């Protein structure tokens, strides 16, 4: 558990910086992120303002603490057998949530490997669902939002972005069909509450999907 907590904290610490790098289609390495945050933070482009820099540091720390806590809970719930798969799933979702929340972007370099890992987990890693259900979940996760997009295209052509569709396919590969429907339902409620509180007409769906997927993991598995 100690290693999961330590690595979870370090990964979370890098999440805000890596999100900025992914927005520029330049995935950051953890070593460079660490150097940028701690050693040369004052010279980091876009954070010359002391208040913004301080906010960036605190955001990094909060992500680190949150990811460490979630990692500890996951180890407690699932044990150490195969925990690497579960941690990878949650950590990637955390990074995707930050990227989409700040940049409205769900990069293929994360969503596609997440889908592959989900199917591999079902096939090789004694996963939450069997391989056939993983494949069906991925198919449903991809086809369902495509069909909904076709139905809503006249009113809202951006109802589902390509990144949302690939993320749903990845979630289906990890969870199977029934938990996927619950993930979508809970995410829709979370998004509705968020836009009502913020008095916005729309918001990125990725953070709500990521949060919902984590809740569903604890509920179903």
């Amino acid at each position: 558990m100690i290693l999961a907590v330590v690595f979870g904290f370090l990964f979370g610490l890098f999440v805000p910086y890596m999100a900025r790098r992914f927005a520029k289609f330049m995935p950051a390495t953890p070593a460079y992120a660490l150097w940028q945050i701690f050693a040369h933070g004052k010279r980091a482009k876009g954070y010359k303002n002391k208040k913004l820099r301080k906010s960036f540091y605190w955001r990094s720390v909060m992500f680190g603490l949150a990811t460490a806590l979630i990692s500890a809970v996951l180890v407690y719930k699932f044990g150490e057998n195969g925990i690497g798969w579960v941690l990878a799933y949650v950590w990637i979702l955390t990074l995707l949530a930050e990227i989409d929340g700040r940049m409205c972007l769900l990069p293929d370099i994360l969503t596609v490997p997440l889908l592959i890992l989900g199917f591999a987990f079902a096939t090789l890693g004694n996963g939450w669902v069997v391989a056939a259900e993983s494949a069906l979940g991925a198919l449903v996760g991809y086809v369902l939002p495509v069909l909904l997009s076709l139905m809503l295209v006249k009113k809202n052509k951006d109802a589902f972005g390509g990144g949302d569709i690939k993320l749903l396919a990845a979630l289906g590969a990890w969870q199977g069909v029934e938990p996927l429907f619950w993930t979508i339902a809970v995410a829709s409620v979370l998004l509705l509450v968020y836009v009502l509180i913020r008095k916005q007409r729309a918001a990125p769906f990725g953070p709500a999907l990521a949060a919902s997927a984590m809740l569903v993991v604890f509920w179903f598995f």
Side-chain angles (χ1 to χ4, degrees):
M1 178 179 290
I2 294 176
L3 284 177
V5 171
V6 170
F7 283 111
F9 176 77
L10 291 175
F11 182 86
L13 200 67
F14 302 144
V15 162
Y17 178 74
M18 287 191 290
R20 293 181 65 236
R21 300 302 293 173
F22 270 107
K24 300 176 182 178
F25 302 99
M26 295 172 62
T29 63
Y32 185 72
L34 185 64
W35 173 84
Q36 191 79 335
I37 292 172
F38 292 107
H40 293 271
K42 292 183 179 181
R43 287 187 274 175
K45 186 177 180 181
Y47 286 95
K48 295 179 180 180
N49 182 283
K50 185 177 181 180
K51 185 176 181 180
L52 289 176
R53 188 167 66 246
K54 184 177 180 181
S55 174
F56 177 71
Y57 289 155
W58 276 111
R59 192 174 184 85
S60 295
V61 171
M62 293 305 296
F63 262 101
L65 293 174
T67 310
L69 177 61
I70 293 172
S71 300
V73 173
L74 288 171
V75 175
Y76 177 79
K77 178 175 175 61
F78 294 104
E80 296 184 358
N81 185 29
I83 192 61
W85 296 92
V86 182
L87 291 176
Y89 175 63
V90 171
W91 292 353
I92 294 173
L93 284 178
T94 301
L95 180 55
L96 283 168
E98 173 69 357
I99 294 171
D100 199 34
R102 282 182 163 266
M103 292 87 182
C104 297
L105 172 71
L106 290 169
D108 291 352
I109 198 173
L110 290 177
T111 55
V112 174
L114 187 65
L115 188 155
I116 296 171
L117 281 174
F119 186 71
F121 183 44
T123 305
L124 306 172
N126 195 24
W128 298 321
V129 295
V130 298
E133 191 173 359
S134 173
L136 180 60
L139 180 63
V140 171
Y142 188 86
V143 171
L144 183 62
V146 170
L147 294 177
L148 289 175
S149 296
L150 292 175
M151 294 172 60
L152 299 172
V153 68
K154 288 186 178 181
K155 293 184 177 180
N156 185 1
K157 65 179 181 179
D158 298 319
F160 285 97
D164 294 325
I165 294 171
K166 291 168 188 172
L167 177 57
L168 282 167
L171 295 179
W174 281 87
Q175 302 174 352
V177 178
E178 184 181 351
L180 177 65
F181 286 134
W182 279 104
T183 297
I184 296 172
V186 174
S188 299
V189 173
L190 292 177
L191 184 65
L192 178 61
V193 171
Y194 178 82
V195 296
L196 289 176
I197 292 174
R198 298 293 296 270
K199 297 181 180 180
Q200 298 175 190
R201 296 187 61 183
F205 199 29
L209 279 175
S212 176
M214 294 181 200
L215 292 173
V216 166
V217 164
F218 287 105
W219 181 263
F220 274 88
F221 307 109

